[in-house]
Amino acid sequence: MSFYKILSPYYDQIFPANKHTKQFLSAHLPKGGKILDVGAGTGNMALALAKEGFTVTATEPEERMAEEIRMKALAETISLNVETKAMQQVDEFTETYDGIYCIGNTIAHLKNLEEIDQFLQVTFNKLNENGVFILQIVNFERVLGKKDFSFPVIRKENLEFQRHYNLARDNILFTTTLTVDGETQSNTLPLYPATASQLLPLLESCRFKEINSFGNFNSSPYSIDTPAFIVTAKK
């Protein structure tokens, strides 16, 4: 069983919906447009945007999480298309979109810069003219430059969730430990620590324009000290 399948029942407790994220996405995506959420998790953002009048397709490769999105949409009678395609399969979608977003450090799960470049180019191709792409990733410039590999421990009533990075050549090993009612399960995944200085030239080479960088979903300017690297770009 994959760790994300294990994590799925507790995902919303650990990562509750964030109003700042929703406000940022809603402000930058074309109003009422057709949107693709890549790596949708349990669908909180996709559902929130669908409620605001966007036509949303949420794609999440972990079937248990995708089913959670379907159940939420059904319970709230929200019209939402749910797929189980991974980032590497975005080119299989036959439609094009007014907006595509990939948040939650999802892109770091790709193996290297070549795979990231391929994903960005496919994303560009799947956007309609003047379509908007939004990307959010951990600020790996801070992680690597300051050797800041720690995350705050997330504690809820019945669970504890720990995260830690370790350097391993060109990758970072991301270890997560979930303890629920005294029972602990751990998993380690390799992540590619793409930085702002790597990603911005790739976006430009894919012919994105009006590229803007932020350090969080409150729209603070990006710097090496901000927790995240967020980009909006237009086709």
Side-chain angles (χ1 to χ4, degrees), residues 59 61 84-93 122:
T59 184
T84 54
K85 290 181 171 60
M87 285 179 285
Q88 300 92 328
Q89 298 172 294
V90 169
D91 62 340
E92 296 177 13
F93 286 103
V122 168

Side-chain angles (χ1 to χ4, degrees), residues 220-232:
S220 300
Y222 170 77
S223 77
I224 194 171
D225 295 314
T226 56
F229 173 62
I230 302 169
V231 170
T232 63

Side-chain angles (χ1 to χ4, degrees), residues 11-80:
Y11 193 88
D12 287 348
Q13 277 184 271
I14 298 169
F15 304 112
N18 186 304
K19 68 176 183 179
H20 299 295
T21 306
K22 188 202 75 169
Q23 289 169 353
F24 184 96
L25 294 175
S26 182
H28 289 277
L29 292 168
K31 296 298 181 187
K34 189 165 60 173
I35 307 301
L36 177 64
D37 179 341
V38 181
T42 57
N44 288 329
M45 285 303 111
L47 291 160
L49 292 173
K51 288 179 183 178
E52 292 199 1
F54 293 92
T55 300
V56 183
T57 294
T59 184
E60 169 52 53
E62 177 51 63
E63 180 58 49
R64 187 166 180 174
M65 287 187 173
E67 186 58 29
E68 180 75 15
I69 303 172
R70 295 186 187 102
M71 291 171 63
K72 287 179 181 178
L74 183 62
E76 299 186 51
T77 61
I78 296 171
S79 178
L80 185 73

